């Protein structure tokens, strides 16, 4: 192995993957808005538009755990290339169908499912491969940079998707085709292997998944990630939903309601840039505990502001701290997990956090209908406080130590 560059931006492999995936994420965010717009234009039914989105999310959730087994058993580069190739073909077919003015609803559903499932597999493989591209001490910084990519594309993608759809309905899907083609090219240009040498595969897929689950639940630190990340995802998504519903009930203009998610996303983007500095100045256990308790305090103040757009500000401040917490947690996870188990461990964590996010609107809706917005915010703030307690008492968090240098 050769010495890794000190500056992450000078790491050719990481930068190549990061740039190509920024384009891919932007394309995905662009078409994510265009799909429901297309369904609405075809069916004039908001229910069917929402149903297509839900089907895609359920498909992504269903493939989370199998994706972990897959990327631990086959060549990760090959898995990523196949995912990109399938996405290129799917969105190209959809774009051509829209251009021709003959777009069956079934085709839209199939492409939506292909897009979300291939993205789930690709992201699992990408995250699993990260420790083979950057040294262990730079893993938190690399993950923070990936978080910045996610927040930036989530901010730019929907407006771009709406603009392109207005110019021509096929444009968002054709642009997404080009974005995935760029991603495919970026993966092809990677020189380093994306996994360590492996022993011959033993046992079936169920046994492999069971091994991954056992590893997660036997490790105090990985158990702590589940007890911290899933409640935080649930609470943030649920409180944002609560604010949006409450503002709508009070007759706030839709444009102002839409600014809630923009403010929160900007908080996350700025937090991703600040994450490396926070990590340098604080020990990881102190950083994680402090962020959790501070987030709980911030979110509780939303209970006083639910009828105002200003409620987005404390949420944005809490989300500002999120990338530093995620970078610390997932950077340490990548460093301590054996390469042969990376995919399965990541898939277990992603499944838990994705399930929590998917459940957030339903739980928030039940609480709002039964007890009102203030109670809903208080309940979800207590959920974050529960994550903070878990971070405080967890011996897995207490025992965190800086990871020894490992070059790639």
């Amino acid at each position: 192995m050769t010495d890794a560059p000190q500056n992450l931006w000078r790491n050719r492999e990481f930068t190549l993957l990061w740039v190509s995936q920024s384009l891919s994420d932007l394309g995905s965010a662009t078409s994510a808005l265009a799909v429901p717009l297309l369904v609405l234009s075809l069916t004039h039914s908001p229910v069917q538009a929402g149903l297509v989105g839900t089907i895609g999310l359920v498909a992504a959730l269903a493939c989370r755990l199998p994706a972990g087994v897959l990327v631990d058993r086959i060549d990760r580069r090959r898995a990523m290339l196949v995912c990109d190739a399938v996405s290129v073909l799917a969105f190209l077919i959809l774009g051509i169908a829209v251009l021709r003015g003959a777009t069956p609803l079934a085709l839209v559903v199939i492409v939506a499912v292909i897009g979300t499932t291939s993205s789930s597999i690709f992201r699992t493989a990408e995250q699993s491969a990260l420790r083979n591209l950057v040294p262990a001490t730079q893993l938190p910084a690399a993950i923070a940079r990936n978080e910045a990519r996610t927040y930036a594309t989530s901010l730019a993608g929907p407006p771009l998707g709406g603009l392109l759809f207005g110019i021509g309905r096929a444009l968002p899907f054709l642009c997404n085709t080009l974005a995935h083609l760029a991603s495919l090219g970026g993966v092809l240009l990677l020189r380093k292997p994306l996994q360590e040498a492996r022993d011959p595969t033993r046992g079936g897929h169920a046994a492999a998944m069971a091994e991954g689950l056992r590893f997660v639940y036997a490790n105090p630190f990985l158990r702590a990630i589940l007890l911290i990340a899933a409640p935080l995802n649930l609470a943030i998504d649920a409180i944002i939903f609560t604010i949006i519903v409450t503002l709508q009930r009070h007759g706030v203009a839709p444009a102002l309601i839409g600014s809630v998610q923009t403010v929160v996303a900007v908080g996350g983007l700025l937090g991703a840039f600040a994450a490396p500095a926070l990590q340098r100045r604080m020990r990881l256990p102190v950083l994680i505990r402090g962020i959790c308790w501070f987030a709980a305090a911030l979110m509780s103040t939303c209970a006083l502001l639910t009828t105002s757009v200003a409620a987005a500000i404390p949420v944005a401040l809490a989300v500002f701290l999120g990338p530093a917490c995620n970078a610390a947690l997932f950077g340490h996870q990548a460093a301590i997990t054996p390469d042969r188990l990376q995919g399965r461990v990541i898939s277990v964590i992603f499944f838990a956090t994705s399930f929590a996010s998917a459940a957030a609107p339903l739980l928030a809706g039940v609480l709002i209908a039964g007890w009102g917005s203030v109670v809903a915010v208080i309940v979800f703030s207590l959920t974050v406080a529960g994550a903070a307690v878990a971070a405080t008492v967890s011996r897995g968090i207490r025992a965190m130590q800086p990871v020894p240098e490992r070059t790639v």
Side-chain angles (χ1 to χ4, degrees):
M1 291 188 178
T2 58
D3 289 338
Q6 293 301 310
N7 188 330
L8 197 56
W9 284 122
R10 294 177 183 172
N11 183 325
R12 175 191 179 275
E13 306 296 286
F14 174 77
T15 301
L16 183 60
L17 186 60
W18 191 89
V19 171
S20 63
Q21 293 323 298
S22 295
L23 294 173
S24 177
D25 288 355
L26 182 62
S28 296
T30 299
S31 63
L33 178 78
V35 165
L37 293 178
L38 178 61
V39 176
L40 279 170
S41 69
L42 293 173
T43 67
H44 306 289
S45 170
V47 174
Q48 292 192 55
L51 181 60
V52 172
T54 299
I55 290 172
L57 291 174
V58 170
L61 189 62
C63 80
R64 282 289 186 193
L65 295 178
V69 176
L70 181 70
V71 302
D72 281 345
R73 290 200 154 195
I74 69 172
D75 183 83
R76 288 171 187 158
R77 186 200 309 270
R78 187 176 303 162
M80 294 161 75
L81 290 173
V82 169
C83 287
D84 274 334
V86 170
S87 294
V88 166
L89 183 60
F91 283 101
L92 178 61
I93 291 172
L94 179 59
I96 292 172
V98 175
L99 275 177
R100 296 177 62 186
T103 315
L105 182 59
L107 176 62
V108 182
V109 174
I110 291 169
V111 171
V113 169
I114 289 173
T116 55
T117 53
S118 62
S119 177
S120 293
I121 297 170
F122 189 103
R123 296 296 165 233
T124 303
E126 180 192 6
Q127 184 96 350
S128 302
L130 197 58
R131 60 177 266 155
N132 295 286
L133 300 179
V134 301
T137 52
Q138 290 185 336
L139 282 170
I143 290 172
R145 205 155 287 175
N146 285 345
E147 293 248 325
R149 180 186 87 198
T150 300
Y151 281 112
T153 53
S154 69
L155 274 171
L160 180 60
L163 175 64
L164 292 175
F165 191 85
I167 297 172
R169 292 181 180 180
L171 278 179
F173 309 112
L174 296 176
C175 286
N176 197 17
T177 301
L178 294 176
H180 280 92
L181 198 59
S183 171
L184 191 150
V187 175
L188 279 173
L189 290 172
L190 294 176
R191 297 170 182 165
K192 293 179 178 175
L194 302 185
Q195 66 277 319
E196 296 174 3
R198 297 171 177 170
D199 293 329
T201 301
R202 297 178 182 176
H205 294 302
M209 177 49 63
E211 182 186 13
L213 289 168
R214 285 195 302 271
F215 185 83
V216 170
Y217 291 112
N219 186 293
F221 174 77
L222 296 177
R223 289 201 307 269
I225 289 186
L226 294 178
L227 294 174
I228 295 169
L232 282 173
N233 274 29
L234 170 67
I236 290 172
D237 289 345
I239 288 178
I240 292 172
F241 182 85
T242 301
I243 293 169
I244 290 172
V245 170
T246 306
L247 292 177
Q248 187 179 43
R249 284 182 166 185
H250 284 79
V252 176
L256 283 176
I257 295 175
S259 69
V260 169
Q261 289 182 311
T262 301
V263 169
V264 172
V266 169
L269 178 60
L270 295 176
F273 290 123
L278 289 173
Q279 292 159 9
R280 286 193 298 270
R281 286 166 173 75
M282 300 177 70
R283 290 178 55 246
L284 293 182
V286 175
L287 176 66
I288 293 167
R289 292 173 192 153
I291 286 174
C292 290
W293 283 112
F294 194 45
L298 283 169
M299 290 187 188
S300 64
T301 64
C302 292
L304 306 174
L305 302 167
T306 53
T307 59
S308 168
V309 176
I313 295 175
V315 180
L317 291 173
V319 172
F320 173 85
L321 299 170
C325 186
N326 286 343
L329 290 171
F330 287 97
H332 198 71
Q333 171 273 314
I336 68 170
T337 303
D339 185 73
R340 66 181 185 83
L341 288 168
Q342 283 286 337
R344 282 165 283 180
V345 169
I346 289 167
S347 70
V348 170
I349 297 170
F350 280 4
F351 179 84
T353 55
S354 298
F355 187 85
S357 293
L362 176 61
L363 292 176
V366 170
L367 288 172
I368 294 168
W371 294 277
S373 300
V374 173
V375 171
V377 171
I378 291 172
V379 168
F380 293 119
S381 299
L382 290 174
T383 302
V384 180
V389 170
T392 302
V393 303
S394 167
R395 62 187 178 91
I397 299 296
R398 279 200 310 272
M400 286 178 71
Q401 297 292 333
V403 179
E405 181 67 61
R406 180 183 69 86
T407 59
V408 295

